[in-house]
Amino acid sequence: MKCFERLVMRQIKDLLPPSLDPMQFASAFNTIIPQHLTEKLSLLGINTSLCNWILDFLTGRPQSVRIRSSTPSASTLNTGAPQGCLLSPRLFTPLTHHDCAAMHSSSHIIKFTDDTIVVGLISKNDESAYREEANSLV
């Protein structure tokens, strides 16, 4: 499966904009809603077949949890991306990239999982660009 994930990841990487958010660190993979992700990927130019494959890959995944020595309890997951999956970081980033990008060249938005920091250069006591960035995130 890891080999196949690499092939899919290469395909996605080639189709998405090359500047996919260098200011995104770590990932909250369990917060991915597959339907929202595939809509976003489609808007970014990923073809329908690949979007459908990703949707199938992320939904209906069986998971078993064993508590101590009990019989494993099975459930079906329809959100999130698998931990340890090569695709998970690549699938998470498009969800935050375009919806949370700096509007001004004097500002940077740094994202770590679900935390966001606005770093802005304030010159000549003019905080307007920084404040606009911060207000846009609220």
Side-chain angles (χ1 to χ4, degrees), residues 61 79 88 113:
R61 290 188 331 273
T79 60
S88 296
T113 311

Side-chain angles (χ1 to χ4, degrees), residues 63-68 70-75:
Q63 175 180 333
S64 295
V65 178
R66 180 183 300 259
I67 301 172
R68 296 189 187 149
S70 67
T71 305
S73 172
S75 62

Side-chain angles (χ1 to χ4, degrees), residues 20-78:
L20 259 189
D21 213 349
M23 299 305 236
Q24 170 72 49
F25 301 96
S27 289
F29 304 142
N30 62 333
T31 63
I32 293 174
I33 299 172
Q35 293 79 6
H36 293 171
L37 172 64
T38 54
E39 288 171 12
K40 175 69 77 169
L41 291 174
S42 181
L43 289 172
L44 292 172
I46 301 295
N47 67 52
T48 303
S49 298
L50 186 51
C51 286
N52 288 338
W53 183 89
I54 291 168
L55 185 62
D56 287 343
F57 176 71
L58 294 177
T59 55
R61 290 188 331 273
Q63 175 180 333
S64 295
V65 178
R66 180 183 300 259
I67 301 172
R68 296 189 187 149
S69 61
S70 67
T71 305
S73 172
S75 62
T76 302
L77 300 178
N78 288 308

